Amino acid sequence: MSTAPHNVQAYRASLLHFHADPAFHGDAHAWHEDGLLVVEDGRVKAAGDYAALIGSLPDGVTPHDYRGQLITPGFIDTHLHYPQTDMIASPSEGLLPWLETYTFPTERRFEDPAHARATAEFFLDELLRCGTTTAVVYCTVHPQSVDAFFEASEARNLRMVAGKVLMDRNCPDFLRDCEGSVGDSAALIEKWHKRGRQLYAITPRFAPTSTDAQLRATAELAKAWPDTFIQTHVSENKDECKWVGELHPQSRSYLDVYERFGLMRPRALFGHCIWLDDEDFARMAATGSAVAVCPTSNLFLGSGLFDFEKADGANALLSLGTDVGAGTSFSILQTMNEAYKVARLKGSYLPALRMFYLATLGAARAMDLEGTIGSFVPGAEADFIVLDPKATPLLARRTAQLESLEELLFALALLGDDRAVKATYSGGALVHRRSA
Ligand code: GUN
Ligand code: ZN
């Protein structure tokens, strides 16, 4: 008889994960109503029906009993700003005044490493409470803000992506890189990219705050380290689009500014994409670049409504971002809630199954990390969450009378938030448990 290795754990619950995009494939998800997730050495060993897998467990391994709950891959948030945690829900008439009034003064405080570290710890706690196990994160221009974030993430063994913001014009002096310079970006990449589970994102804030020289230097970094991420903002707000048109009259479109500088490629994530045209979406798809759709932010700042149908028409890679602190919630469930309504206002329809895909495998594909995160294929990192369909009295009442999986997921997306996340696991370790 074999003895139980310490490194195997099993979890009994309903299991949901994806192997394709439900918008394009009828058979896109795996659903095991009475399922078992088996984890070995922090990675998925198997996911399937309890009855089929229970006999394969090593002797002495007793499954953790989460019956009545739903286990999915951890949520992936592809766009947010940890330094903006303290200014979430700051009112403003739109993007550009909001940046001047709240954002830049708040980001100034990240020159202090102690403030940066304390904020990073709170931010990570909040992500895990909401079931987000991977996030693509903007730091500030200060290299110490990047060190503070990665140190906090590494200490918890989380799979996180982050980078130093690049700005060398149209910003306050106290947040400005030397003209044409990317500051300490190369050293930060050498230090943090692929160190444990940390990954680096080259982070030009947006076209208006970089000179041509800085965009060129940014593209050189992106070429020198082709498996780093790139993150920026594009076509969020009409005033911003007009400004970019004035700054770059030779470019066909706002997105085209980035393409001309060589910043569109796999692992390039573009936040917002509200005002892209068909050709822009075609360029997104052709270059393997990905959209981070940020509905709570877009509604909050009055930026506009993302066009899912247009994006899907081009087969562009899509994912969901909270965009905290312009976004109004850390919760990807609440982000789905607002994405659903944005789609309705644009005359299209976003099923809950699609939204759960976008928050898991869809994001992993957008990040070129399929097989590593976002699903339960064997070998994937065991980042998963336990969702409680009875987390609140209203959720319990609604989910007591379900006709389908779609109705269950829809109720969680529309009525759920951090309260629906009973537990969060990262790399097979429990990193958050909701107290009763
Ligand atoms: N565009 C440039 N910077 C920012 C930012 O911090 N937040 C949002 N929402 N848009 C931006
Ligand atoms: Zn943003």
Side-chain angles (χ1 to χ4, degrees):
M1 236 167 53
S2 64
T3 51
H6 299 300
N7 52 3
V8 175
Q9 295 93 31
Y11 304 86
R12 184 177 188 180
S14 297
L15 301 186
L16 171 72
H17 70 127
F18 295 85
H19 46 263
D21 185 342
F24 299 96
H25 300 271
D27 170 27
H29 70 279
W31 167 246
H32 305 281
E33 185 139 25
D34 183 11
L36 193 70
L37 178 66
V38 185
V39 173
E40 183 172 34
D41 291 333
R43 291 180 182 271
V44 173
K45 190 157 193 276
D49 287 335
Y50 175 83
L53 288 175
I54 186 65
S56 69
L57 287 186
D59 293 340
V61 174
T62 310
H64 199 103
D65 192 351
Y66 280 129
R67 270 178 290 178
Q69 325 278 325
L70 169 63
I71 289 184
T72 72
F75 293 141
I76 301 169
D77 181 341
T78 59
H79 184 119
L80 78 172
H81 303 251
Y82 98 85
Q84 295 175 12
T85 300
D86 291 350
M87 51 167 282
I88 190 169
S90 292
S92 179
E93 283 176 15
L95 171 66
L96 301 177
W98 176 85
L99 286 172
E100 290 287 339
T101 314
Y102 290 104
T103 312
F104 292 149
T106 302
E107 293 194 1
R108 183 179 197 170
R109 296 189 63 196
F110 287 74
E111 65 198 359
D112 172 7
H115 176 69
R117 181 63 187 260
T119 308
E121 297 292 355
F122 179 90
F123 173 90
L124 292 174
D125 286 344
E126 197 66 17
L127 287 181
L128 298 174
R129 274 159 45 77
C130 291
T132 297
T133 48
T134 290
V136 188
V137 178
Y138 287 65
C139 302
T140 64
V141 292
H142 313 97
Q144 55 272 38
S145 75
V146 181
D147 284 331
F149 180 79
F150 279 133
E151 283 162 12
S153 171
E154 183 179 50
R156 302 177 193 219
N157 190 33
L158 304 177
R159 172 67 77 189
M160 290 285 159
V161 183
K164 176 193 133 52
V165 162
L166 299 166
M167 293 198 273
D168 70 343
R169 69 164 168 173
N170 294 321
C171 60
D173 290 344
F174 55 78
L175 288 178
R176 195 187 302 245
D177 291 310
C178 292
E179 190 174 330
S181 160
V182 290
D184 298 324
S185 296
L188 289 166
I189 294 170
E190 297 277 16
K191 181 171 179 184
W192 289 110
H193 186 53
K194 299 194 277 191
R195 172 161 147 181
R197 301 181 78 202
Q198 312 314 309
L199 295 166
Y200 196 85
I202 297 164
T203 309
R205 178 171 219 120
F206 66 156
T209 48
S210 288
T211 59
D212 287 6
Q214 191 179 52
L215 289 175
R216 273 194 296 275
T218 301
E220 274 165 30
L221 283 178
K223 230 187 221 165
W225 282 278
D227 65 356
T228 55
F229 292 80
I230 300 170
Q231 60 179 344
T232 191
H233 299 84
V234 72
S235 288
E236 174 178 4
N237 164 285
K238 282 203 159 151
D239 294 334
E240 169 212 18
C241 293
K242 186 164 164 276
W243 190 17
V244 173
E246 288 158 10
L247 292 170
H248 294 276
Q250 73 288 7
S251 284
R252 194 199 68 81
S253 67
Y254 185 167
L255 185 70
D256 184 50
V257 175
Y258 297 125
E259 181 153 33
R260 280 167 175 253
F261 281 96
L263 291 168
M264 295 188 72
R265 63 153 166 73
R267 294 199 169 180
L269 293 160
F270 291 89
H272 307 294
C273 298
I274 301 288
W275 304 104
L276 298 194
D277 62 16
D278 288 334
E279 189 168 341
D280 289 324
F281 277 118
R283 295 312 301 152
M284 292 292 296
T287 57
S289 306
V291 182
V293 182
C294 303
T296 77
S297 166
N298 300 152
L299 293 173
F300 177 69
L301 288 176
S303 302
L305 305 173
F306 183 76
D307 194 333
F308 285 93
E309 245 171 62
K310 203 190 244 188
D312 282 341
N315 214 355
L317 289 163
L318 302 186
S319 59
L320 297 177
T322 60
D323 194 28
V324 164
T328 51
S329 173
F330 278 82
S331 169
I332 287 289
L333 292 172
Q334 277 308 294
T335 304
M336 293 177 187
N337 177 5
E338 304 216 343
Y340 174 79
K341 293 167 186 167
V342 163
R344 292 305 300 124
L345 285 169
K346 291 293 276 185
S348 52
Y349 191 88
L350 201 51
L353 204 61
R354 178 88 191 291
M355 298 197 286
F356 274 76
Y357 164 81
L358 292 176
T360 56
L361 180 63
R365 287 179 168 179
M367 297 169 70
D368 189 24
L369 285 175
E370 184 171 5
T372 302
I373 55 172
S375 83
F376 294 146
V377 287
E381 294 173 351
D383 293 359
F384 61 94
I385 57 179
V386 184
L387 294 171
D388 181 4
K390 298 186 167 42
T392 67
L394 187 59
L395 260 172
R397 199 171 169 95
R398 177 63 189 88
T399 61
Q401 36 193 337
L402 294 171
E403 306 262 319
S404 63
L405 171 61
E406 175 64 19
E407 282 192 8
L408 167 62
L409 300 179
F410 194 73
L412 283 165
L414 274 282
L415 304 175
D417 50 30
D418 55 306
R419 294 169 298 174
V421 181
K422 195 178 173 85
T424 304
Y425 290 78
S426 178
L430 181 69
V431 288
H432 165 71
R433 188 204 305 269
R434 189 160 181 87
S435 45

